[in-house]
Amino acid sequence: MRPLDPVHSIKTKLALLVAASVTMASLLVWAGLRLAEIHIGPRYTLPASIVVTLVFTQLLARGMTSPLREMTAAARAMATGDYSRRVRSTSSDEVGELADAFNRMAEDLEAVDRERRELVANVSHELRTPVSALHAVMENLVDGVTEPDQETLNTALAQTERLGRLVEQLLDLSRLDAGAVELDRELLALEPFLGQAVRAMSMTGRDVEYVLDVEPRDLDVVVDSARLHQVVANLLDNASRHSPPGGKVFVSAQAVGQVVRITVQDQGPGIADADRERVFERFQRGSARTDGGTGLGLAIARWAVQLHGGTIRVAPTPEEGGCRIDVHLPRVTGEAPTVTNAVTDAAAHAQGRG
């Protein structure tokens, strides 16, 4: 029973409650005085008016305070880990606003708790696969089932490298959530930098040809070279994984006004339009994902780009197919020893391709 819900102020509600109670009591006392001639005087109507007024006040006040009782019960449930409780908010006064804010807080806490559980589950899954594979290799070597030949050792090395990449990505993820990272900016020539990144990726042995184009040849940008290397390495790794055998990965950089655009394009299956909005979501794998990647690469890439005040996005699918990702960085930035990360959970996405 909430008859005062249409009233927009708790002070007005209290005033109406007091006025209604006083009016009710006054009417009953007045009726007692009028009925004194039939021996129903104030000595009977006054106690009756008090009782009736208390009941009337209780009914109205109960509707006013019921959201507060619901919030108390929901808060106790949250203390035990149940974030699904919500408060029914039908009024538009201060209590109603508090109930709405409480519901939003409960939704945020539920989302954080869900993300925490998913993080633990995903990390456990990602760690279990290389650990199990490495354990199997080591067990076969110890039992003499397989010989310590080059192929077996390469398999063990690949699994340890995968573990190392996952640990490094998780460390970067913790820095992302910490919110502040120091950047060591320097003037970086892009052609030798990208050339070195391409040569390092070509040593992975994947059957992919890399095509590098930097225009103009002396193009440079003020960045933290280590962070930019994270971005480029992740993009090259994604592109080489998804390109077909004998395919090409195109890497280019060019000046667009006061912005430098770095583009990595592959000849793979591309990214579906439905996935393009969520490709940077943590631990999310694209529909074309078939390998055991962590789904963190592009989350970290976006984080590093946004630390520099830039943007990263999946460009519309090229006519020739494949996936193209553009990174835009300001060519010249002011000195800033510490850059605060402005990435929110809503904006920090990762594609499963990473």
Side-chain angles (χ1 to χ4, degrees):
M1 182 179 179
R2 301 182 181 183
L4 297 179
D5 277 355
V7 181
H8 298 287
S9 171
I10 188 67
K11 293 184 291 185
T12 305
K13 285 184 176 182
L14 292 174
L16 291 173
L17 180 61
V18 171
S21 301
V22 171
T23 300
M24 179 75 69
S26 300
L27 287 174
L28 290 173
V29 172
W30 176 81
L33 293 174
R34 295 285 293 178
L35 298 174
E37 64 223 22
I38 59 174
H39 308 293
I40 305 179
R43 64 176 180 175
Y44 296 111
T45 57
L46 182 58
S49 67
I50 294 175
V51 173
V52 172
T53 301
L54 287 175
V55 173
F56 180 74
T57 303
Q58 175 68 16
L59 290 176
L60 293 181
R62 183 175 180 81
M64 293 171 54
T65 58
S66 59
L68 299 177
R69 291 192 299 274
E70 291 180 15
M71 277 185 269
T72 301
R76 288 172 177 166
M78 288 181 185
T80 63
D82 179 11
Y83 300 99
S84 62
R85 301 283 292 273
R86 298 293 182 268
V87 178
R88 185 170 68 95
S89 174
T90 58
S91 63
S92 55
D93 60 359
E94 293 83 351
V95 175
E97 293 176 358
L98 177 61
D100 291 336
F102 184 91
N103 287 335
R104 289 194 296 270
M105 180 192 70
E107 291 174 0
D108 291 341
L109 290 175
E110 186 177 25
V112 169
D113 184 66
R114 182 174 59 252
E115 291 175 359
R116 177 184 62 82
R117 294 174 185 272
E118 290 176 354
L119 176 64
V120 172
N122 284 319
V123 170
S124 300
H125 173 75
E126 295 295 343
L127 287 172
R128 183 174 63 248
T129 302
V131 168
S132 298
L134 187 59
H135 179 269
V137 171
M138 295 296 102
E139 188 176 41
N140 288 338
L141 289 175
V142 171
D143 294 342
V145 177
T146 59
E147 296 294 330
D149 54 18
Q150 189 65 36
E151 181 179 358
T152 303
L153 295 178
N154 286 339
T155 300
L157 179 61
Q159 297 302 328
T160 56
E161 289 175 347
R162 183 177 174 186
L163 280 172
R165 285 196 303 269
L166 177 59
V167 171
E168 184 63 29
Q169 288 178 337
L170 291 174
L171 289 174
D172 286 330
L173 193 63
S174 67
R175 298 187 187 106
L176 188 159
D177 291 331
V181 176
E182 183 176 347
L183 295 181
D184 184 13
R185 299 178 185 269
E186 61 179 327
L187 186 63
L188 182 68
L190 283 177
E191 186 176 41
F193 173 80
L194 293 176
Q196 182 180 12
V198 166
R199 286 191 296 273
M201 187 57 59
S202 64
M203 296 177 63
T204 60
R206 294 171 185 162
D207 186 13
V208 174
E209 178 184 353
Y210 297 91
V211 179
L212 177 62
D213 179 27
V214 178
E215 185 62 36
R217 300 288 296 274
D218 60 348
L219 181 63
D220 52 34
V221 64
V222 178
V223 292
D224 184 320
S225 59
R227 294 299 173 196
L228 184 58
H229 183 270
Q230 284 181 300
V231 176
V232 174
N234 276 317
L235 296 182
L236 290 175
D237 183 62
N238 288 339
S240 62
R241 286 176 184 272
H242 291 273
S243 288
K248 294 182 179 180
V249 173
F250 300 91
V251 184
S252 64
Q254 64 181 122
V256 183
Q258 295 301 312
V259 173
V260 170
R261 182 174 67 198
I262 300 174
T263 298
V264 176
Q265 179 177 339
D266 60 43
Q267 295 180 327
I271 296 177
D273 292 341
D275 292 336
R276 197 177 300 162
E277 295 298 326
R278 54 189 290 270
V279 291
F280 295 100
E281 189 174 323
R282 295 180 187 180
F283 290 108
Q284 293 297 320
R285 292 176 170 81
S287 56
R289 188 83 187 193
T290 58
D291 56 70
T294 64
L296 287 174
L298 288 182
I300 295 168
R302 168 171 266 189
W303 164 63
V305 170
Q306 291 187 337
L307 282 176
H308 290 84
T311 60
I312 180 172
R313 68 184 184 93
V314 179
T317 303
E319 294 182 0
E320 62 273 19
C323 172
R324 169 183 161 181
I325 296 182
D326 292 336
V327 175
H328 294 86
L329 297 171
R331 189 167 184 180
V332 179
T333 60
E335 293 296 328
T338 301
V339 178
T340 300
N341 179 18
V343 183
T344 64
D345 283 327
H349 299 287
Q351 180 208 23
R353 294 162 57 89

